[in-house]
Amino acid sequence: MNRRAKKDLIRILISAILLMLAILSPVNGWFRSTAFLLPYLLVGYDILWKAVRNILHGHVFDENFLMVIATVGAFAIDEYPEAVFVMLFYQVGEWFQRLAVGKSRRSIASLMDIRPDYANLLRDGALCKVSPEEVAIGDLICVNPGEKIPLDGVITDGSSSLSTSALTGESLPCDVSIGDEVASGSVNISGVLTVRVSRPFTESTVVKILELVESATENKAKSEQFISKFARYYTPVVVLSAAVLAIVPPLFFNGDWAEWLHRALIFLVVSCPCALVISVPLTFFGGIGGASKKGILIKGANHLETLAKANTVVFDKTGTLTKGEFSIVSIDSPVLPAQELLSLAAAVEQFSSHPIAKAICNSAAIVPARDKVTHVEEVAGHGIKGAVDHQVICVGNRKLMQSCGFQPQEANRSTTQIHLCDDRQYLGVIHLSDTVKEGVNDTVSTLRGLGISQIVMLTGDRQEIASQVAEELQLDAYHAQLLPADKVAYMTELTKSKKRNTVVFVGDGMNDAPVLARSDVGIAMGGIGSDAAIEAADVVLMDDDLCKVPQAIGRSRRTLRIVRQNIAFALGVKLLVMMLAAFGHAFMWQAVFADVGVSVIAIFNAMRALK
Ligand code: ADP
Ligand code: MG
């Protein structure tokens, strides 16, 4: 409990005692009202002040205002104890509410406790503790066991195992040694590591994740907007109905003024919309926080809401459904030895981060020095061009060869075929193969279990390979040989179609940022990967484990279910007590209880979204 909570609790207790004394003391008249006014002002002065301040600012109809007219009204009809009771009760409820909200906010904050506080900078052979912002690219830092890795970099000395659970939700530690890349925010478990920093702190993984999560709460979901709009109309309507309730029966139907005024006041107290105003945003906050603990970063409540409605999931193939770790099957060249062809390809491909490029560079025995290659240009969905020793070399698929004026024969094999040519002749072809990721079959069936009616694959790769993968995974449809622009066109058609699809696109971030942006919900995998994809995506998965896709959909549905439960529950109870009040069957304390009780229950329900 913090200091504010303690102070409030003491204030409530003293007011309660004063109220008891006032009830027990035998004074009358002027003394009596003062005796009750004292605890009333002590417990309610902040509410009175807030109500006055809000009225001055033009926000007349809020919960403070409702409490003030209800209690002042009770004083006016000589119901002194009741007026104090109501304010006291309301403050007790508020107190519990703040406690619950504070608790859930703290548990989300601790989930996000990945920001490193310092780095051990290695300078002239000595270590000094500096803040991570002060470390520059190329500096060496030392990370001891138990410390967080403060900046992204490459290990130059030592080996260890790292826990990335705060980043990716992956619970198994991974082993790293010299030459491996490490991401900031992961925790060093066993050995001492020396790391050469590769990115400044402001661009590091950990800062990007924190920025994502912090901005997530700014994107309001439709149901959240609905609640604030709802409150804007609801409160005046309630105040008006209360006025009608107080005036009409005594004026036209011979009712008792005090009795109907009393009913109207109870009606007002119960109508406070605070349960909804607090619990709905809190539920979304909890849903987003809980998901981020599992390595699923959702960029806003609006995306969470759309994700819950998803009925179509579109996957990119390379790197998403397949491992994206190509291996070379065979090399055919009419003019060059195989190894030379591979070196030539690697010369250009070393400038690309495409999985095909990586495989070619890893298999080549000799990769020519980077400064021998100039005029490098990557053509998305086609391949890459560059001048090696002033000789233009093109590496890519059949489409790229055609644009260079060659018509290579495609071998009738289910391999990815990458051709080479220079500006005079066709040089040969490299056959590569990639395998489907483990567990993708399970992911597909889990998605079907969630009622996803259409699962589609898009790829820039060849027809033969696409059909083979689609068959292996029993997908509903596939589209091959697409350029990035074709993928966008397909996505546009799908999202705009009359069938009201809600389309999720899942990609690895290679060449697919535009598609991610075009879909209803774009999910980028491997959050440590491409910046453009992280920017364009609505959901970022911290690793490339596909089972997080159904998990994300499941979680968002659960969160939305809790939101609906809270709305239905709060409105239901309120409506009931409002009716009771109108017919004279409710007491003021029941009304307050209905109001704060519902709020507290709704908040505890909201916190389930974290789990
Ligand atoms: P996918 O849709 O399967 O993820 P991409 O859009 O990334 O595929 O690429 C489509 C095709 O373009 C690849 O199958 C390959 O033939 C070719 N390609 C793209 N980039 C390169 C590259 N750097 N080197 C060679 N070929 C490439
Ligand atoms: Mg791709």
Side-chain angles (χ1 to χ4, degrees), residues 316-319 349 352 354 356-357 360 378-384 395-397 416-418 458-462 482 484 487 508 510-512:
D316 186 42
K317 181 183 78 76
T318 314
E349 291 285 22
S352 165
H354 200 277
I356 292 178
I360 289 178
E378 183 150 21
V379 194
H382 285 90
I384 190 165
V395 189
N397 54 19
T416 301
Q417 300 175 13
I418 298 301
L458 302 184
T459 181
D461 213 342
R462 298 172 57 224
L482 300 176
K487 294 186 187 175
D508 65 341
M510 279 316 303
N511 300 340
D512 46 22

